[in-house]
Structure formats: C-alpha cells, structure tokens
Amino acid sequence: MQQGRTAAGGRQRRTLKGIVSRCDLLKIFLREDEVIAAEVRHDVVARPYGTHTETFRVELDDGVVTLAGQVHETALIPLAACLARTVPGVADVRCALVGTPSHPDLDPDLPDPG
C-alpha cells in the first residue's frame, strides 16, 4: 500500500496498488525439468569437471536433481551438489556420485579387473 493524501482528522489515506499471489512469487521457480537439467549439465557438470564427464549423469524428476556416476576428482563432489542447489527450479538434490578407485588392487571389495 502507498500512503495518499491526508484525510479529515489528520489520518492518511492508503491506496492499494496491487496484489502479489503466492503463484506470482513461485512462478520463477516453475521451470521444465529439461530446461533445469540442461542448466545443471552446463553449470554444475561441464564447468568444474570439464571434459571428464562421460560417466556423469544428471536426472531430474519434478525439480529433484539426481547426480550420479563416477568422477575423477572426488573433492569436487560436495561442490557439485551445492552448485546444483543454486540452479533456479531445483527443489532438492540427491547426490550419488562416487570417485574412481585410485588403487583397485588394494580394495578387497572391488572385482578383480583381470
């Protein structure tokens, strides 16, 4: 509301200029999953991981992003999840990224490559 001229009795008159609904406020977050996924792939995957994204998957379902796959730089996994949360329209992030094993011969749970 905006204050108007002074009414009789010294009170100020207020006039209504418009109404903002909850739908109006949320409209900027209502984006198609494919549009959001493309932005996540560009901003979250391509920038920090560069060309090493062949095993990196981005899936979206009703605004919920799932980051999955194997990455070379495990230190960037938390960054990817944080960056995905900043993309407009993302409601939640599920991170299923794993790093590549650096010494598979020392990890008894991994299958023998030979």
Side-chain angles (χ1 to χ4, degrees):
M1 288 193 202
Q2 184 177 0
Q3 295 188 8
R5 292 180 233 146
T6 304
R11 294 183 310 183
Q12 291 191 347
R13 234 181 342 176
R14 296 175 184 236
T15 54
L16 181 63
K17 293 293 184 182
I19 297 175
V20 177
S21 70
R22 182 175 32 197
C23 181
D24 293 330
L25 296 173
L26 295 175
K27 196 177 290 184
I28 61 168
F29 295 107
L30 299 177
R31 301 169 68 199
E32 295 291 324
D33 280 348
E34 281 307 310
V35 174
I36 298 169
E39 190 170 339
V40 170
R41 284 184 192 101
H42 179 264
D43 292 349
V44 177
V45 178
R47 283 188 179 167
Y49 290 98
T51 58
H52 304 289
T53 60
E54 53 277 351
T55 61
F56 203 120
R57 290 187 331 273
V58 175
E59 298 169 359
L60 231 91
D61 185 32
D62 289 333
V64 178
V65 175
T66 300
L67 302 174
Q70 202 170 48
V71 296
H72 296 287
E73 292 292 328
T74 56
L76 295 178
I77 291 174
L79 175 65
C82 287
L83 286 174
R85 285 184 180 89
T86 66
V87 174
V90 171
D92 195 13
V93 176
R94 296 185 179 134
C95 189
L97 295 171
V98 294
T100 54
S102 55
H103 299 289
D105 53 329
L106 299 178
D107 192 340
D109 294 332
L110 292 176
D112 187 19

